[in-house]
Amino acid sequence: MPVQQTTLSIRPKPRGFHLITRDIEQALQQFGKVEAGLLHVFIQHTSASLTINEDADPSVRQDFESHFNHMVPENAPYYLHTDEGPDDMPAHLKASLLGSSVTLPVTDGRLNVGTWQGVYLCEHRNNAGARRLVLTLTS
Amino acid sequence: MPVQQTTLSIRPKPRGFHLITRDIEQALQQFGKVEAGLLHVFIQHTSASLTINEDADPSVRQDFESHFNHMVPENAPYYLHTDEGPDDMPAHLKASLLGSSVTLPVTDGRLNVGTWQGVYLCEHRNNAGARRLVLTLTS
Amino acid sequence: MPVQQTTLSIRPKPRGFHLITRDIEQALQQFGKVEAGLLHVFIQHTSASLTINEDADPSVRQDFESHFNHMVPENAPYYLHTDEGPDDMPAHLKASLLGSSVTLPVTDGRLNVGTWQGVYLCEHRNNAGARRLVLTLTS
């Protein structure tokens, strides 16, 4: 079975950067143990994103929120797309800066990532609903 | 046939962010219907890029152009690589911020993306030629 | 053998953007010649990253260092995660802006990238050790 696929719904989260590594690992276990492969995790939204970063100290995730708010401000004078609220256009821009997917090596049935690496769901909207992920394992 | 590959040439486009979802979908159909897979789309250039974002309102794509011009300005005093014009070095930087490829889940022969997600070709040069993509389907 | 995997250690490099295309190509040759495939290169660290950009003129890589230092400054007043030195939190942010992995098309046993494209290892720390990569070839 070279390609296996499933979906995962992540319950609504507040604006900010959230670790979802355990959700990903649990979904990976459904696929059965593979010797070597790649896990692609895709978010089906344009105002939230996925990235990989430090999973130990929560202040790193707070600093992500602060820095992205600084680098992609609300109410920039050049925004035309403003109908859906001040957090909407920055959310789209942040989503493309961080990306809609991460691809992780899998070895002996487990994510083969570094000691301090975790998967972040980056929620860029103030009042978002659940976020849907598509997970695809190639092995 | 686990891996299928083709190339796609996108006709010259003005500087800005352009939807190419239909070009991608047409190329995907050439591969035959696969139950589950991943489509990797790669751009063979360093001054244009690919991303996934909102495909409904054209003002989102205009705001992408405005914001990236603000965040990666022309004529920054610290640029050394200036021989190829003021739009060249910003083009390289924007290309790496957005990325050279997108990977999309494929389910039942179709792109399995969100309702509002489209693929953007991000043209960062003022007078670019055609852009070449390499598409690889793993299934 | 649909998926092949190996690791690659890159010797310590100074802060900045460094070409590692040849290291990647050499590792690819270990896998044997494949007609069509994808090579996924993953960095197991959160303060260094990978990207694809112009590989001819070294001034491009210097401008990357200058621009990323400008866009993600040290000592921003809103940083909370400051215990590991002024270069640490910017390194995490830069790593997510650029990304932890690149995926490259492989055709007839070689990287099928554009004429001017090379793979950069982006070292964001002042005094980093060796960096470990996981390479996965799907074919």
Side-chain angles (χ1 to χ4, degrees), chain B residues 63-79:
Chain B
D63 289 356
F64 264 78
E65 179 64 17
S66 301
H67 185 71
F68 274 84
N69 289 342
H70 181 80
M71 199 169 62
V72 188
E74 298 195 353
N75 303 309
Y78 46 78
Y79 291 154

Side-chain angles (χ1 to χ4, degrees), chain A residues 45-121:
Chain A
H45 304 270
T46 61
S47 56
S49 59
L50 298 171
T51 194
I52 295 164
N53 220 292
E54 211 263 25
D55 70 352
D57 185 346
S59 67
V60 171
R61 300 194 294 281
Q62 290 177 267
D63 288 356
F64 264 77
E65 178 64 17
S66 301
H67 185 71
F68 275 84
N69 290 341
H70 181 80
M71 199 170 62
V72 189
E74 297 194 355
N75 304 308
Y78 46 78
Y79 291 154
L80 303 175
H81 182 80
T82 54
D83 287 355
E84 295 170 56
D87 59 324
D88 180 60
M89 191 58 221
H92 291 307
L93 290 162
K94 292 169 182 174
S96 276
L97 284 166
L98 288 161
S100 303
S101 68
V102 291
T103 304
L104 304 152
V106 175
T107 309
D108 295 329
R110 302 195 53 166
L111 298 180
N112 189 356
V113 298
T115 312
W116 308 106
Q117 285 182 309
V119 180
Y120 293 9
L121 186 147

Side-chain angles (χ1 to χ4, degrees), chain B residues 2-3 5 7 40 42-46 71-73 78-82 84 89 92-93 95-97 100-101 103 132 134 136 138, chain C residues 36-38 51-54 57 59-60 62-64 66-68 70-71 97-98 103-107 112-114 116-117 138-139:
Chain B
V3 175
Q5 207 165 54
T7 57
H40 179 254
F42 182 83
I43 191 162
Q44 286 186 316
H45 304 271
T46 61
M71 199 169 62
V72 188
Y78 46 78
Y79 291 154
L80 302 174
H81 182 79
T82 54
E84 296 171 55
M89 193 57 222
H92 292 307
L93 290 162
S96 276
L97 284 166
S100 303
S101 68
T103 304
R132 205 156 80 125
V134 182
T136 306
T138 308
Chain C
L38 286 175
T51 194
I52 295 165
N53 221 291
E54 212 263 24
D57 185 345
S59 67
V60 172
Q62 290 178 265
D63 288 356
F64 264 77
S66 300
H67 185 71
F68 275 84
H70 181 80
M71 199 170 63
L97 285 166
L98 289 160
T103 304
L104 304 152
V106 175
T107 309
N112 189 357
V113 298
W116 309 106
Q117 286 182 308
T138 308
S139 65

Side-chain angles (χ1 to χ4, degrees), chain C residues 16-84:
Chain C
F17 291 74
H18 305 276
L19 280 173
I20 58 163
T21 318
R22 284 186 198 169
D23 302 270
I24 303 296
E25 285 171 340
Q26 282 176 5
L28 177 61
Q29 285 167 16
Q30 297 170 25
F31 290 136
K33 188 175 172 179
V34 302
E35 198 185 330
L38 286 175
L39 182 67
H40 178 255
V41 185
F42 182 84
I43 191 162
Q44 288 185 316
H45 305 269
T46 62
S47 57
S49 59
L50 299 171
T51 194
I52 295 165
N53 221 291
E54 212 263 24
D55 70 351
D57 185 345
S59 67
V60 172
R61 300 194 293 282
Q62 290 178 265
D63 288 356
F64 264 77
E65 178 64 18
S66 300
H67 185 71
F68 275 84
N69 290 340
H70 181 80
M71 199 170 63
V72 188
E74 298 194 352
N75 303 309
Y78 45 78
Y79 292 154
L80 303 174
H81 182 80
T82 54
D83 286 355
E84 296 171 54

Side-chain angles (χ1 to χ4, degrees), chain C residues 84-123:
Chain C
E84 296 171 54
D87 60 323
D88 180 61
M89 191 57 222
H92 291 308
L93 290 162
K94 293 170 182 174
S96 276
L97 285 166
L98 289 160
S100 304
S101 68
V102 291
T103 304
L104 304 152
V106 175
T107 309
D108 295 330
R110 301 194 53 166
L111 298 181
N112 189 357
V113 298
T115 313
W116 309 106
Q117 286 182 308
V119 180
Y120 291 10
L121 186 147
C122 319
E123 178 54 73

